[in-house]
Amino acid sequence: MPRLRPLARAMLSVCACVVAGWVAASDRAQGSAARANPAATASPAAATRPAAQSEPWWRHAVIYEIYPRSFQDSNGDGVGDLNGIAQRLDYLESLGVDAIWIAPFYPSPQVDFGYDISDYRAVDPQYGTLADFDRLVAAAGRHHIRVLLDMVLNHTSDQHPWFREAARSRDSPRHDFYVWNDGRSDAAGKHLPPNNWVSLFGGSAWEFVPAVGQFYYHMFYRQQPDLNWRNPKVEEAMFAAMRFWLDIGVAGFRLDAITTLFEDEKLRDEPALGGVNAQGDPRLSDVYTNNLPEVHGVIRRLRAMSDTYAGERVLIGETYVPNTADLDPWYGGALHNELQLPMDTLVGLGSKLDAGTFRQRLIELQTQVHDSPPLLVFDNHDNIRSWDRYGDGVHNAAIARIVATLLLTSGGAALLYQGEEIGQTTATPTRIEDVRDPIGITGWPREKGRDGERTPMQWDASSAQAGFSTNPRTWLPVTANYRSINVQSESADPDSLLNWHRRLIALRQSNAALRSGWTVMLDSTNSSVLSYARVGAEGETIVVALNMSAQPQTISLGLGASGVAGSRLTTLLASPAPIAGGAADRAITLAPFAAWVASLR
Ligand code: NOJ
C-alpha cells in the first residue's frame, strides 16, 4: 500500500499561510488569474512562445542525488565514500546526468547521517579526504559532470566547536551563534521550555544546558542546535564556509532546510492543529518557525555572493511548500534574485498517479513562477521511493516509466535520486532493532524512519553486497531484489527502466523542444491520460501522452484546437508496447499505464 512518510507530511502541512502573507499583491493576482484560467497555456500565442537564446546549464539540467553512505564503498568498510563515487563516474556519464548533488560528507557525529556537521571545511575520514574530493571534482569535470554540495545552514552538530564553546558560558563569543532562552520555571523550580514548539524529529524543540542555565532551540534532533541567523556573524561565518567550497570549484549548493533559518523573535506559541503526529507530539502550525520573511534577505545576499563566481554556480533549495505559487518567492519572484532552483518536491501531491493533478501542476509551474524553471523531484533520501508510492503492485514497472517520462519531458530541470533509474524499491525495516535512522526508533511503529530509501545502490548480482561493497556487513542491508534490479543486468536489457531513463535523457539533450520548449496541454479534460506538446522556438514539436490508468484509453490529441501545428506523428519512445505513428488527428489507443513520446511534423 503506497504511503506518504509522516515526516514529509509534517513539512508540507502548514507553511502556506505565512508565504501568502508577504507575497506581493501583483504576484498573488498573477497566480490567481492563472488558476482561474487553466487553459491559458493552450493558446496559439503560447504555443509559439520563443525560448531564450542562451541559457545557463542548470535551467535544463538533470541532477543526480548521491547519498554517499550508500552509493559505492571503495575501501571495504561497508560505508560508501568519495573514491567510490569517482569509480562510478563512467556510469553517471553514460546515464547523461549534468551534475551530482552529494549529500553531506563533512565531519559529523552522524546522528543524522551527516546533516549534523561538526566542521564545514573538511571531509569526514569515513568518506575520504579533501584531496579525494579535489580529485573527484577534477574527474567529474572530465566526465562533463558538475559537483554540487549539500549545505546545512539551519543548524550545526552539537559537537561543532562553535556550539561546544557556546554551551560553556553565556559570555562565550560564540554563545549568540545559537538560539538561547532562559525558559520558565514551575512552582518547584523545575526549568520549563519557553514555549510549545516541538522538534520535527520528536519531543520539545528546546534543550536545557545546566552550564549556562538556558535552553537552546533545535528544529531537528537535539544534537542539531539551530544557528541564530539574527546574528550577522553567523551569516559571515557560513558564507565564508561556502566560499571555501566555491573556491575549490563546486558548481553550487543544495540548501538544506532553507525555509527554517529564522524563528519568531517573540517566541510565540505555535497554534495547535489538533491531534498528534507520528512522534506522538501535538500537531502544531509552523507559522512561527518556518518560512519567516527574514530568510529572503539572507538568500538574496547569498545569491549575490554566488553570482560573483564564474561558471554559473547554482543555488538549489529544499523547499517543501504546499502550493506551486508558494515557490515563486523562493526564486525571488519577478526579480529572479534568490534561488535558481527551489525544489518542487512532488511527494506533496500524494501517492495517486492522477492525470488532472499533474496537468494542473505543470500549468501552474508555467504560469505562477515568473518564467522560472521548475526543478521537479519525485524521489530523495527522505521519502518513500516513487516506485512504491505510485506502484499498484501489478504495473509498477510501467508506472515507473510514466514517472520518468513526466520528470524528463515536462520542462525545466529534473532531479533523479540514486537507484530511481533502475527501480530500486523502498525496503523499510520490519523490526525496530534493525532501524538505523533515529526517528524510526523514536517513532516506531508509526514512523519507521528513512532507512528504506537509503539502502545501498544495486550495481550487479556478483555478490550479496550487489557490487556496493566487499564487506558483508554493509551499514544498511542490501535489498534482496538486487539479483534482478541492478545496473549491470539492466544495462544489458534494452527494455529496462535504466535504458528508458538513458533514452529519455539523450532525447532531451538532443532535442531543443524537449529541453527548452513551451508546454501546451492537449486533450485537457481527459481524466486518465495526461498529454502535452513541447513546442520549441522554431516550432519543432514533441508530443507526450501518459496513460495514468489501469485501463486501455483511446485518445484524440486535438492538436489544432490547442494551437499546435503538425499533421504526422513519429514514435520516438513507447512503453509498454510499441505505438504506431501516423496521422496526428487520428484516435490513438494507449495500453494501461502506457508512456508515449513522439515527434510532430
Ligand atoms: C533535510 C534532509 O534532507 C534530511 O535528511 C535531514 O534529516 C534534515 N533536513 C535535517 O538536516
Side-chain angles (χ1 to χ4, degrees):
M1 175 67 189
R3 65 201 160 87
L4 234 194
R5 183 170 303 295
L7 174 66
R9 274 204 303 267
M11 294 286 280
L12 275 161
S13 60
V14 269
C15 4
C17 36
V18 180
V19 176
W22 54 266
V23 170
S26 60
D27 299 0
R28 283 200 294 271
Q30 193 236 19
S32 55
R35 270 192 294 275
N37 178 17
T41 56
S43 72
T48 54
R49 184 195 165 88
Q53 283 306 299
S54 147
E55 298 181 302
W57 70 273
W58 43 262
R59 224 182 143 92
H60 313 294
V62 176
I63 301 168
Y64 186 92
E65 181 194 349
I66 291 182
Y67 195 68
R69 294 184 79 74
S70 297
F71 191 62
Q72 178 65 59
D73 171 17
S74 74
N75 62 359
D77 64 357
V79 177
D81 45 50
L82 296 181
N83 288 337
I85 298 174
Q87 286 171 11
R88 296 296 183 178
L89 287 169
D90 286 345
Y91 168 70
L92 294 168
E93 186 176 0
S94 80
L95 186 56
V97 306
D98 300 290
I100 51 176
W101 143 37
I102 312 176
F105 53 75
Y106 317 95
S108 160
Q110 305 292 333
V111 172
D112 193 15
F113 298 113
Y115 285 93
D116 46 325
I117 299 171
S118 53
D119 180 352
Y120 281 80
R121 299 178 187 219
V123 174
D124 192 298
Q126 72 179 300
Y127 295 121
T129 63
L130 261 182
D132 293 334
F133 182 73
D134 285 339
R135 277 191 292 274
L136 173 61
V137 173
R142 291 193 292 277
H143 287 77
H144 315 290
I145 294 171
R146 292 173 157 89
V147 177
L148 302 165
L149 296 200
D150 209 318
M151 183 48 63
V152 184
L153 299 177
N154 180 68
H155 48 269
T156 68
S157 161
D158 63 348
Q159 297 308 308
H160 193 291
W162 296 340
F163 187 76
R164 290 161 70 104
E165 197 183 315
R168 261 199 294 271
S169 154
R170 289 190 189 203
D171 299 328
S172 141
R174 303 282 188 213
H175 189 68
D176 201 29
F177 262 44
Y178 296 87
V179 181
W180 296 96
N181 189 273
D182 293 353
R184 299 166 288 136
S185 334
D186 65 10
K190 186 171 177 256
H191 297 290
L192 298 174
N195 61 24
N196 71 345
W197 297 356
V198 294
S199 157
L200 200 62
F201 286 170
S204 169
W206 296 95
E207 183 73 15
F208 189 71
V209 176
V212 291
Q214 286 182 307
F215 289 85
Y216 68 86
Y217 171 68
H218 58 94
M219 163 69 106
F220 298 95
Y221 294 120
R222 70 180 161 74
Q223 297 90 342
Q224 294 170 298
D226 271 51
L227 284 162
N228 172 18
W229 280 85
R230 298 188 188 279
N231 177 352
K233 291 201 172 113
V234 166
E235 179 172 314
E236 208 178 290
M238 296 310 289
F239 281 22
M242 283 189 274
R243 281 183 174 283
F244 173 83
W245 295 102
L246 289 166
D247 289 338
I248 287 180
V250 305
F253 301 99
R254 174 265 191 187
L255 303 171
D256 183 72
I258 190 64
T259 64
T260 65
L261 292 197
F262 286 84
E263 300 77 36
D264 180 43
E265 271 188 297
K266 294 186 187 143
L267 304 185
R268 281 170 281 193
D269 275 352
E270 299 274 35
L273 299 174
V276 291
N277 64 22
Q279 296 287 343
D281 296 316
R283 284 182 59 244
L284 301 177
S285 157
D286 60 0
V287 65
Y288 294 129
T289 51
N290 192 13
N291 277 315
L292 268 68
E294 292 91 324
V295 68
H296 292 274
V298 174
I299 298 179
R300 281 192 288 272
R301 291 189 290 279
L302 178 54
R303 174 67 182 275
M305 185 270 270
S306 158
D307 281 352
T308 62
Y309 283 81
E312 300 174 342
R313 315 292 171 109
V314 65
L315 299 176
I316 299 172
E318 187 196 21
T319 40
Y320 286 93
V321 294
N323 302 301
T324 311
D326 300 329
L327 285 171
D328 191 50
W330 295 98
Y331 288 104
L335 297 176
H336 303 280
N337 60 353
E338 297 196 21
L339 305 176
Q340 286 105 325
L341 296 173
M343 289 180 179
D344 184 16
T345 31
L346 299 166
V347 67
L349 294 181
S351 51
K352 189 168 171 341
L353 199 65
D354 181 75
T357 304
F358 284 111
R359 180 180 298 122
Q360 181 64 23
R361 184 65 150 220
L362 295 183
I363 290 170
E364 289 170 1
L365 285 168
Q366 201 162 249
T367 53
Q368 298 185 0
V369 295
H370 287 97
D371 287 338
S372 296
L375 170 56
L376 297 186
V377 182
F378 280 101
D379 285 30
N380 63 25
H381 63 281
D382 290 330
N383 289 290
I384 291 170
R385 286 179 178 274
S386 57
W387 176 278
D388 303 283
R389 284 205 319 269
Y390 294 117
D392 64 357
V394 178
H395 304 94
N396 289 38
I399 291 171
R401 283 163 176 76
I402 290 193
V403 169
T405 310
L406 186 55
L407 177 72
L408 293 162
T409 66
S410 62
L415 189 109
L416 271 174
Y417 172 50
Q418 66 183 50
E420 181 179 351
E421 75 278 21
I422 56 171
Q424 266 193 230
T425 55
T426 316
T428 307
T430 52
R431 307 180 318 164
I432 188 171
E433 51 270 40
D434 296 330
V435 177
R436 303 294 305 272
D437 185 13
I439 53 166
I441 299 169
T442 53
W444 191 272
R446 281 179 71 177
E447 166 64 75
K448 293 181 174 165
R450 299 162 291 181
D451 295 350
E453 51 268 24
R454 298 174 175 182
T455 55
M457 181 74 183
Q458 296 167 198
W459 294 104
D460 58 47
S462 62
S463 72
Q465 290 76 51
F468 162 67
S469 174
T470 51
N471 192 321
R473 294 174 69 85
T474 53
W475 84 280
L476 279 178
V478 172
T479 308
N481 58 23
Y482 76 90
R483 286 184 198 83
S484 54
I485 302 174
N486 66 65
V487 168
Q488 191 179 51
S489 61
E490 292 195 32
S491 289
D493 172 4
D495 291 330
S496 67
L497 181 59
L498 173 58
N499 280 322
W500 182 261
H501 278 89
R502 282 194 173 122
R503 285 197 289 270
L504 282 169
I505 295 173
L507 194 58
R508 171 188 166 99
Q509 280 164 351
S510 64
N511 189 291
L514 261 194
R515 215 174 39 249
S516 51
W518 187 247
T519 303
V520 182
M521 289 299 156
L522 305 173
D523 189 20
S524 42
T525 54
N526 194 320
S527 58
S528 302
V529 180
L530 173 65
S531 308
Y532 48 88
R534 303 294 318 285
V535 184
E538 312 294 325
E540 71 279 23
T541 302
I542 296 287
V543 168
V544 178
L546 305 169
N547 179 2
M548 298 192 169
S549 80
Q551 287 77 42
Q553 301 287 341
T554 299
I555 58 164
S556 170
L557 292 169
L559 291 162
S562 301
V564 177
S567 58
R568 287 204 75 74
L569 287 159
T570 306
T571 296
L572 300 172
L573 282 173
S575 150
I579 297 170
D585 57 2
R586 77 190 204 287
I588 298 154
T589 298
L590 300 169
F593 296 110
W596 186 41
V597 183
S599 69
L600 177 69
R601 289 202 195 283

